[in-house]
Amino acid sequence: MTDESPELRASDADRERVTERLREAVAEGRLDMEEFQDRLDATYKARTYGELEPLTRDLPDMAAANQAVPTVPGTGAWADRIGGTGTSSTGVAIMSGFSRKGRWTVPRRFNGFAFWGGGEIDLREADFEAPEVVINCVVLMAGIEVIVPPGVEVVVRGIGVMGGFDDRLTGEPADPGAPRVIITGFAFWGGVGVRRKATKAEKLRLKEERRRKRLE
């Protein structure tokens, strides 16, 4: 989209690129849900470049966003998220809590320890140092929750004594090229929960996809 030809008719792909950027802006905290909904309605009604351009004018990085629709977890496009150096290798909670979430790089082995406390290890927006990583959790009268994005392979091998590890995701199919997350460790009078959950941006994408299908 350019200012030189605002009268040109916009395509469905143009509207989808703007929609994707708006979803990203919500996830980044640049737009609240009311602003997002107003701009989304205007996007679907837009017929020309001139009508689309103001909807993202105050959002950064639109030039990059206009080149392609960003990939999201669950599409099989994992190559850009595997590699690099781990940014955090340990989480400790002693009568307290710890959290690892947002943009971070999971090392080949991450150790989590919780005693009379809790921990959260959120991999939804994380990169991975290697195609296979180990999340080792030791909990004593405590709990740790591991959140993985759609498409990642999960293998649970932890041991529980008067406690346990949630292994419901073991064996679920994974995306081609997705990382493998092995969850191991020991739980005594506590537990390690493992659940699969989409990011806010992905939830918005799916919601708008369903809405678009209803309008067709």
Side-chain angles (χ1 to χ4, degrees):
M1 289 178 288
T2 63
D3 292 332
E4 288 79 16
S5 44
E7 74 284 354
L8 290 181
R9 302 285 288 189
S11 67
D12 287 340
D14 294 321
R15 282 183 283 272
E16 179 58 31
R17 280 191 287 269
V18 172
T19 299
E20 186 66 28
R21 183 63 191 112
L22 295 176
R23 284 193 290 262
E24 286 183 339
V26 173
E28 294 163 358
R30 301 182 191 278
L31 296 177
D32 60 32
M33 288 305 298
E34 184 177 352
E35 291 173 314
F36 170 75
Q37 195 61 57
D38 289 343
R39 296 193 191 197
L40 190 65
D41 291 341
T43 299
Y44 287 137
K45 294 175 182 177
R47 293 292 176 263
T48 66
Y49 287 168
E51 293 173 303
L52 285 177
E53 194 276 334
L55 301 176
T56 54
R57 183 183 294 155
D58 58 348
L59 300 176
D61 300 326
M62 266 310 293
N66 283 339
Q67 297 302 314
V69 177
T71 57
V72 295
T75 63
W78 287 94
D80 293 339
R81 295 182 63 180
I82 298 177
T85 302
T87 55
S88 178
S89 61
T90 306
V92 178
I94 299 177
M95 292 184 287
S96 61
F98 75 83
S99 178
R100 297 293 181 275
K101 61 182 179 180
R103 297 296 299 179
W104 66 295
T105 300
V106 185
R108 293 175 185 271
R109 183 181 179 88
F110 180 91
N111 294 302
F113 175 77
F115 172 70
W116 275 17
E120 179 186 49
I121 305 170
D122 191 337
L123 310 182
R124 288 177 293 171
E125 298 181 21
D127 294 329
F128 299 82
E129 183 176 341
E132 181 175 291
V133 299
V134 176
I135 306 292
N136 183 61
C137 299
V138 176
V139 298
L140 304 175
M141 294 178 285
I144 292 178
E145 182 173 54
V146 182
I147 304 173
V148 299
V152 166
E153 181 183 0
V154 177
V155 178
V156 179
R157 297 174 179 168
I159 298 173
V161 176
M162 291 184 287
F165 282 70
D166 184 351
D167 64 353
R168 287 174 294 177
L169 300 185
T170 296
E172 285 191 357
D175 288 343
R180 187 181 198 218
V181 177
I182 300 175
I183 300 171
T184 186
F186 177 75
F188 176 73
W189 273 19
V192 176
V194 185
R195 62 185 175 121
R196 202 181 296 277
K197 187 177 179 182
T199 63
K200 182 187 292 186
E202 175 66 357
K203 289 179 180 178
L204 287 171
R205 186 188 71 81
L206 294 174
K207 179 180 178 180
E208 295 313 317
E209 188 175 280
R210 291 192 294 268
R211 174 183 172 177
R212 188 166 57 250
K213 288 180 179 180
R214 288 197 301 267
L215 295 175
E216 291 177 351

